[in-house]
Amino acid sequence: LLQKIKKVVEAIVEGMKVVGDKYERLEVFIPEILVISEAVMDVVRELEPRLRAAGVESEGKIVLGVVEGDIHDIGKTIVALVFKSMGWEVYDLGRDVPPSKFVEKAREVDADVVGLSGLMTQDIDPAFKTVLELRRAGARAKTIVGGVFANKEMQERVGADAFGVDPWDGVEKARKLIGKG
Amino acid sequence: MRKRKTCWDDSAARVEATVRGETPDRVPTLLLETEGMCARVSGISVHRMVEDPKLAAEATFEFASVTGADAFNYALIEWPGSVWELMTLARANGIPESEVAKPLDYEVYYPNEGAILRRIKDIEKLQIPDYERTPPWSKILEGKKILVEKIGGYAFLVPPIYPSMDTWVANVMGTERFYMAMRKEPELLKIAFKKAYEAQVALHKAYCNIVGNPPVLAIDPLFANKNMVSWKHWMEFVAPWFFKFLKEYHPDGLVTHNCGRSPYWEELITTMRREGLGATVIGINAACPWDVNWWVEFRKKFPDVLITGVTLDTSAVMIGPMDAVRKRAIEVVTKLKPYKRLMIGPVCQAGWNVPLSNLLVLTEVVEEYGRYY
């Protein structure tokens, strides 16, 4: 049974990579990704407990959230779905998340990565504070920023370890951060 | 010490000449600002601006006076995709304001997307507000009238920003449900767009009654972005009502604002032309693409399109070091000035975290490099 489940998971991972490529090529867009992700999540919800029960480890643990002061969470929701479908254990804190909550959750679950999502210019300040608080708290988690305008410059301003231009890039960078890429 | 600006006659002539494709004395500045920026410069909290139109007008004037902007926007941004629209809709539909907006003192209130319409199927029941009498819109229009009378309409090149059908629908029903409805409930979504059209027609009429006819409309097809929805979907759901509004109500000019990552610029402009829109002026206010040379090529292809704000995005350049802003602004001015129809400014409203010096340096760059005579 475990082998069969693993094959399904592998197929999902492959399928989501295809979706990512199509998004890159402007062949699918956010409405399509959301519908696909919803279907994938139904399957993942069924399979995940069985995999864990069988002792199969996740790719890694990621705590995700939209930084304090921002309520735009569509991008973060898609990122959470893609990470889950790629075998990650995802702790989604939602939107408008204060730095202290990121720290609390990262320590509680011993997260490998903390992902900070933001859409607006004003998000740089709370993202910076979150990264700072994580460091001060001694959390071992690496940090990655994502969002409409995520780029190297924003990453450096915030002090994060990486940035993701889209969910798939985010997964790839997160894997690299924890030495799996 | 910088001299405070008190008269906008020269600016009006400069902006008007630019919009009409004539040669102004120099490239004008269009310094868009947020509520938070006005609050910071004036010391008047956003909450007080919302309550009192005179204070909102004063805060806007203070910002314009300090920066010396040729054009700018009203402090409480007149955009139907804004939190002000949600608050007005809440009042008209008996929903507590606290459910749709989180008030802040020195920053724009945060909207709670989707709180107006918990179930998409209730869209038909949604009441369109009487915008002339329902705050905060009624007070925003009152404050805008004060400023237009004091300064003149051409100072406000960008707002009012409508039609913004897609943003309205996304805010009212929630962005995720908006996206999902495109695939799962397309018929209900089409009804929602009809409702958006009705609301924005009502708002436009209220604007004209209270403030007067705007010389230019800034249109905001925010979801017309390649990283958001397909052009086919945008044309199917948004375009019919968007173009209907513009055909019925557009004034002499249109400025298309889009601060997304990859707007369908060419598709949009070509379609607008095909629909017979923007015969007088079409303007583009955009950051992306971030390569100034892309905009030079765009300019050659569409020589009569007004270009504002290109590459001076508020997420990176405008919050960075002043030297970087200056360098980018000089590049934009020197490369695009020869083609005229150019204004300089941040592409989107500059928030409280944009250093004031980064706005002021734009005014210095146009004085130094933007002179036509």
Side-chain angles (χ1 to χ4, degrees):
Chain A
L1 180 65
L2 187 59
Q3 285 309 312
K4 283 181 183 170
I5 293 174
K6 277 186 173 173
K7 279 196 173 174
V8 173
V9 172
E10 278 167 18
I12 288 172
V13 170
E14 269 316 298
M16 289 305 279
K17 280 182 187 164
V18 171
V19 174
D21 290 343
K22 282 180 176 284
Y23 180 65
E24 188 68 30
R25 292 200 301 268
L26 304 178
E27 290 170 11
V28 297
F29 301 85
I30 292 177
E32 292 74 34
I33 291 175
L34 282 173
V35 172
I36 293 165
S37 299
E38 197 180 50
V40 165
M41 278 313 296
D42 286 344
V43 180
V44 170
R45 264 186 228 108
E46 283 291 318
L47 298 184
E48 204 175 22
R50 296 172 201 217
L51 282 169
R52 301 288 170 262
V56 176
E57 284 186 7
S58 68
E59 275 282 297
K61 291 178 195 170
I62 183 165
V63 170
L64 278 174
V66 178
V67 297
E68 186 169 31
D70 195 345
I71 44 88
H72 301 94
D73 64 353
I74 188 86
K76 183 269 305 160
T77 302
I78 295 173
V79 169
L81 292 170
V82 172
F83 266 90
K84 271 197 179 180
S85 65
M86 301 290 217
W88 283 68
E89 216 171 303
V90 177
Y91 298 89
D92 186 347
L93 301 180
R95 57 193 191 175
D96 193 10
V97 183
S100 59
K101 276 204 173 172
F102 278 106
V103 174
E104 194 183 314
K105 198 67 182 174
R107 295 181 77 169
E108 180 194 322
V109 302
D110 191 26
D112 298 300
V113 179
V114 171
L116 309 172
S117 174
L119 177 70
M120 304 178 299
T121 315
Q122 289 92 323
D123 294 339
I124 289 175
D125 190 42
F128 171 77
K129 280 182 186 159
T130 305
V131 172
L132 193 68
E133 289 298 314
L134 283 163
R135 300 244 162 92
R136 279 183 181 158
R140 69 170 187 89
K142 300 285 185 184
T143 49
I144 181 166
V145 287
V148 173
F149 288 106
N151 53 33
K152 187 75 184 160
E153 197 178 345
M154 183 185 170
Q155 176 206 324
E156 282 168 4
R157 275 173 199 279
V158 164
D161 298 305
F163 72 95
V165 292
D166 60 41
W168 294 272
D169 185 47
V171 171
E172 206 177 304
K173 300 256 177 74
R175 291 188 84 240
K176 278 184 186 161
L177 286 178
I178 61 171
K180 289 188 173 175
Chain B
M1 195 179 163
R2 278 183 84 91
K3 198 177 163 190
R4 290 168 67 95
K5 187 165 176 159
T6 52
C7 176
W8 270 264
D9 291 349
D10 288 351
S11 289
R14 196 173 288 140
V15 173
E16 191 171 353
T18 303
V19 167
R20 297 194 185 288
E22 296 158 5
T23 307
D25 60 340
R26 68 155 166 78
V27 173
T29 52
L30 172 63
L31 303 189
L32 301 174
E33 84 286 7
T34 64
E35 293 84 349
M37 174 62 86
C38 282
R40 190 180 112 197
V41 172
S42 68
I44 299 169
S45 72
V46 178
H47 181 75
R48 290 171 71 211
M49 289 184 214
V50 173
E51 292 297 315
D52 187 340
K54 284 180 191 162
L55 288 179
E58 189 184 322
T60 314
F61 188 82
E62 188 68 10
F63 168 81
S65 182
V66 167
T67 57
D70 289 312
F72 44 94
N73 59 258
Y74 181 59
L76 305 174
I77 302 162
E78 314 134 79
W79 175 40
S82 70
V83 68
W84 316 129
E85 173 77 0
L86 295 185
M87 288 166 70
T88 310
L89 281 167
R91 283 202 185 212
N93 288 277
I95 300 166
E97 259 183 28
S98 57
E99 285 186 23
V100 302
K102 178 179 165 187
L104 296 165
D105 277 343
Y106 290 94
E107 191 49 276
V108 63
Y109 294 6
Y110 272 103
N112 185 11
E113 291 176 2
I116 292 291
L117 198 66
R118 300 282 182 192
R119 298 181 308 174
I120 302 176
K121 64 181 181 181
D122 291 336
I123 184 69
E124 289 278 32
K125 295 180 203 159
L126 193 70
Q127 294 295 311
I128 305 291
D130 174 353
Y131 288 102
E132 290 185 49
R133 288 168 191 82
T134 315
W137 263 117
S138 58
K139 291 189 178 184
I140 289 170
L141 298 179
E142 203 183 320
K144 180 68 180 285
K145 184 187 176 193
I146 295 170
L147 269 176
V148 168
E149 283 173 355
K150 189 168 181 176
I151 297 177
Y154 264 98
F156 303 101
L157 189 69
V158 168
I161 308 176
Y162 47 72
S164 306
M165 309 290 181
D166 37 19
T167 322
W168 189 94
V169 173
N171 276 351
V172 164
M173 66 167 57
T175 305
E176 192 171 335
R177 279 196 283 162
F178 164 73
Y179 279 127
M180 291 289 257
M182 281 190 169
R183 304 297 310 198
K184 291 186 153 187
E185 296 175 287
E187 294 313 313
L188 277 176
L189 190 61
K190 284 174 184 169
I191 295 171
F193 273 101
K194 180 172 179 283
K195 191 67 90 170
Y197 165 82
E198 289 167 3
Q200 286 176 39
V201 165
L203 176 59
H204 180 63
K205 285 179 177 171
Y207 189 99
C208 293
N209 285 343
I210 294 178
V211 185
N213 291 339
V216 173
L217 282 185
I219 60 179
D220 179 28
L222 195 59
F223 283 78
N225 261 285
K226 290 169 191 167
N227 59 320
M228 294 164 99
V229 301
S230 65
W231 179 246
K232 179 181 164 285
H233 266 155
W234 195 84
M235 286 299 288
E236 180 184 349
F237 291 102
V238 192
W241 299 105
F242 188 81
F243 291 131
K244 180 175 166 59
F245 181 98
L246 290 179
K247 282 177 184 172
E248 288 169 359
Y249 297 103
H250 90 85
D252 287 348
L254 304 166
V255 175
T256 307
H257 172 74
N258 197 314
C259 47
R261 196 167 72 183
S262 44
Y264 292 105
W265 284 130
E266 298 204 15
E267 292 88 339
L268 192 66
I269 297 296
T270 307
T271 308
M272 285 170 74
R273 290 266 160 79
R274 202 171 53 232
E275 295 279 333
L277 289 163
T280 318
V281 176
I282 298 180
I284 280 191
N285 169 243
C288 293
W290 283 326
D291 179 2
V292 180
N293 294 319
W294 188 94
W295 287 103
V296 174
E297 292 308 310
F298 179 89
R299 156 59 76 229
K300 288 175 187 166
K301 196 168 179 183
F302 300 104
D304 54 346
V305 172
L306 172 76
I307 291 178
T308 82
V310 290
T311 79
L312 290 160
D313 64 288
T314 44
S315 295
V317 178
M318 290 306 296
I319 54 170
M322 191 176 74
D323 285 349
V325 177
R326 182 180 162 81
K327 193 175 160 194
R328 179 69 67 85
I330 291 171
E331 189 187 2
V332 172
V333 171
T334 50
K335 286 186 175 171
L336 288 169
K337 182 188 145 197
Y339 304 96
K340 300 183 187 170
R341 292 189 195 267
L342 173 70
M343 295 181 77
I344 288 291
V347 65
C348 203
Q349 275 79 10
W352 62 266
N353 61 342
V354 171
L356 200 55
S357 54
N358 284 358
L359 292 176
L360 298 176
V361 78
L362 299 179
T363 63
E364 289 166 17
V365 166
V366 290
E367 285 295 342
E368 204 174 333
Y369 296 88
R371 288 262 161 211
Y372 286 102
Y373 55 84

